[in-house]
Amino acid sequence: MSAPRHVLALIPARSGSKGLPGKNIRAFHGRPLLHWTIAAARASGVAERVIVSTDDAAMAEIAQAGGAEIPFLRPPELARDETPMLDVALDALAKLEADGFVADALLLLQPTSPLRGAKDLQAAAALLGDSDAVVSVAPVKQHPHWLQRIDETGRLQPYEPASEAARRQDLPAVYALNGAIYFVRTEALRRERTFRPAGTKAYVMPPERSVDIDTEIDWQLAELLFSSATP
C-alpha cells in the first residue's frame, strides 16, 4: 500500500464549548490555542491542506490569521455537543471533493492538544506504512489491574480480576488514546466509519505532550508543561 499523496489536515473548532467556554481562541502562551495546532500542521509538511472546521465566523477569522484555510462554515446541525466527529470529517471531505480536492488520507487534529508538535505529526505519518490508520496514545499511569470499584455495601472490589503482579514493573504496558493525532486513509474511514479501523497502529507520545485540554485544571497543566519544555 503506497503512502497517501493528498493529505487533508482537519482541525475541528466549533463554538459553544461547555467544559471551558471559548477555549479554542483563548490565549495560550501569547497565541490563540487554535494557532498552536495550525502551526504544527503547517510546519510538519504532512498535509497538503490545513483546514479548520468551525461554525463560528469570528473563530474562522482567527483561524485564517493563524494560517489555516476556511473554505466553508460548518452547518449548525454538525456543531452540536452530541455531533459525532465522524460526521464532521465526512462532511468536510465531501465538500472539498465537490470543489475538486480529493484527499486520500485525513489528519484529524484537535486544537485542545497544543503540546503535540510537528515532529509528532511527521513520526505518525512515517509509521503508517501499509496500515489504514495511526492513532496517538500515551502510557497509562493508573494501571487497570489496580483499579477498584465500590460495591453496594461501600466495600472496595477489584474492577478487574486480581492480577498476581505486585509491582508496576511486572504489569503489561497499557496505553490510552490521548486525542492528539488521528491519521486515517479516507477509504478506510468511509468503509469502517471509524478513525480506528482494523489494524490501526499506535504512535506513542510521552505524558508531557499528551494533555488534552477540557477543564481549567487541564489548561493550567498544559501551560506549566509548555513553560518547562521551553528553553
Side-chain angles (χ1 to χ4, degrees):
M1 193 180 300
S2 61
R5 295 181 58 193
H6 304 292
V7 178
L8 169 67
L10 180 67
I11 303 171
R14 71 178 183 89
S15 60
S17 170
K18 298 295 190 298
L20 198 58
K23 63 183 176 183
N24 288 326
I25 56 176
R26 179 176 168 179
F28 181 85
H29 284 274
R31 303 169 64 183
L33 182 67
L34 182 60
H35 282 195
W36 293 99
T37 293
I38 295 171
R42 287 169 55 87
S44 73
V46 170
E48 186 174 345
R49 298 179 67 177
V50 178
I51 287 174
V52 168
S53 170
T54 183
D55 59 314
D56 184 80
M59 194 177 302
E61 290 185 7
I62 292 171
Q64 282 184 314
E69 296 181 56
I70 313 290
F72 53 82
L73 286 180
R74 195 191 309 181
E77 62 270 19
L78 291 179
R80 302 187 180 111
D81 289 343
E82 68 277 10
T83 301
M85 191 56 65
L86 175 65
D87 292 351
V88 174
L90 293 177
D91 175 72
L93 289 169
K95 283 184 167 66
L96 293 174
E97 287 181 5
D99 283 339
F101 178 74
V102 180
D104 52 3
L106 176 74
L107 182 60
L108 181 70
L109 302 173
Q110 300 187 107
T112 49
S113 298
L115 306 181
R116 164 246 296 118
K119 290 183 178 179
D120 290 310
L121 304 184
Q122 292 166 347
L127 186 62
L128 184 66
D130 61 356
S131 65
D132 281 328
V134 173
V135 172
S136 60
V137 298
V140 173
K141 180 179 180 181
Q142 187 67 34
H143 200 283
H145 280 300
W146 291 343
L147 295 180
Q148 302 287 307
R149 63 183 179 86
I150 301 175
D151 67 16
E152 61 278 4
T153 68
R155 292 178 171 83
L156 286 175
Q157 300 291 341
Y159 187 77
E160 290 188 348
S163 169
E164 294 181 0
R167 303 184 309 158
R168 179 178 297 277
Q169 299 94 313
D170 298 327
L171 294 169
V174 290
Y175 303 88
L177 299 173
N178 67 359
I181 303 171
Y182 295 88
F183 189 40
V184 57
R185 296 181 191 271
T186 52
E187 181 182 358
L189 181 70
R190 286 174 166 140
R191 181 182 67 245
E192 300 192 32
R193 298 188 64 80
T194 174
F195 294 100
R196 290 181 289 151
T200 294
K201 291 183 178 179
Y203 171 62
V204 181
M205 293 175 59
E208 62 268 22
R209 295 205 308 276
S210 295
V211 178
D212 180 16
I213 297 176
D214 188 51
T215 66
E216 186 63 37
I217 291 177
D218 296 334
W219 185 283
Q220 293 175 16
L221 175 59
E223 286 194 320
L224 179 63
L225 289 169
F226 183 95
S227 296
S228 64
T230 304

